[in-house]
Amino acid sequence: MNQGPLDLEQLAHTRGDNLTTIQSHILAEERKHPGASGTFSWILSALTLSAKVISAKIRRARIYDVLGALDSENVQGETQQKLDVIANETLLRCLGSRAGVAVVASEENEEPLIIQRNAEGDRPYVVLFDPLDGSSNLDVCGGVGTIFSILRHDRRTTKAEDSCLQPGKSQIAAGYILYGSSTVFVLTTGNGVNMFVLDPSIGAFLLVGENLMIPRKGKTYSVNEGNRATFPDGYQRYLDWAQANDYSSRYAGAMVADIHRTLLKGGVFFYPPTKKAPEGKLRLMYEANPMALIVEQAGGKAFAGKDRILDIAPKTLHQRTSVVIGSADEVDHVLRHL
Ligand code: AHM
Ligand code: MG
């Protein structure tokens, strides 16, 4: 049906606002804090720039042959994908040039990198990230993502790692970018969760969802059931219960894609301890913590066994944890079986 030309004024009126980019959203947020120096906005703009660069490279990867594995391994002993390296370098280069960044730490680097040793005044932040989560999905055009966590830099520490080792509840912002059928940026600064989608034709992330709330229930579980035989008994009991109660299963194999679906549709994502990964597979500092903050800010829950993820006192930068993250009622169903 031809609806005739779009009346933008009318559209703005019905929406009750104008188009909002992530940049204007962040500036508006910052204006609410009169003392803010603007450095935080610069960091977020480095992250949005990285997201656009990584998104563009992923979309062209097949054509320019950057898919597939390199010969090198990362600190976890896993083979790096070419795009893992590219994404890591993109983030390091974008963040490294911004005032406000004292320390950066990446899944791909054993040690945190000090951007400015005597971080004073306008350089007070630590940024941790997983540059390309779920990268084994790349060869098959599956969803992959970037996850980040922002902490305040502790100027009293002499070792960069010590400044990173803060519990998740100290995060001042966290987010992820999902490179899926569109590129989606989900962000929390500790005051609700907002969602932006990249319009590649204008190169801007536009606000498409404000104050997202995860559904309280959702009969979907998301777990690698291939590992079921080596899960602790409680998780196996939960799966028996869920299957007896008509639950569906969805598993993308990339945490960002699985959490994004869980956030929007409800359900529970979990990665329990397994024989291969007795502490769990996912990393506390740059996977579990940021996802836990986002999901809690959206009204959900995030646990590692019986402990709230955001309360865990970290011991090492790359430490692993089990996770149970999602709709409040669904997380409770898992926990009561443990
Ligand atoms: P990665 O950071 O090396 O990509 O690993 C993390 C990924 C998560 O995205 C995903 O949830 C999980 O590993 C999948 O693991 P598995 O293949 O064991 O199910
Ligand atoms: Mg990862």
Side-chain angles (χ1 to χ4, degrees), residues 102-115:
V103 172
V104 291
S106 162
E107 174 179 329
E108 300 294 335
N109 300 106
E110 186 154 12
E111 300 282 340
L113 303 168
I114 300 164
I115 303 292

Side-chain angles (χ1 to χ4, degrees), residues 311-322:
D311 288 332
I312 297 174
K315 296 195 180 66
T316 60
L317 180 60
H318 297 291
Q319 95 184 52
R320 294 179 191 259
T321 179
S322 63

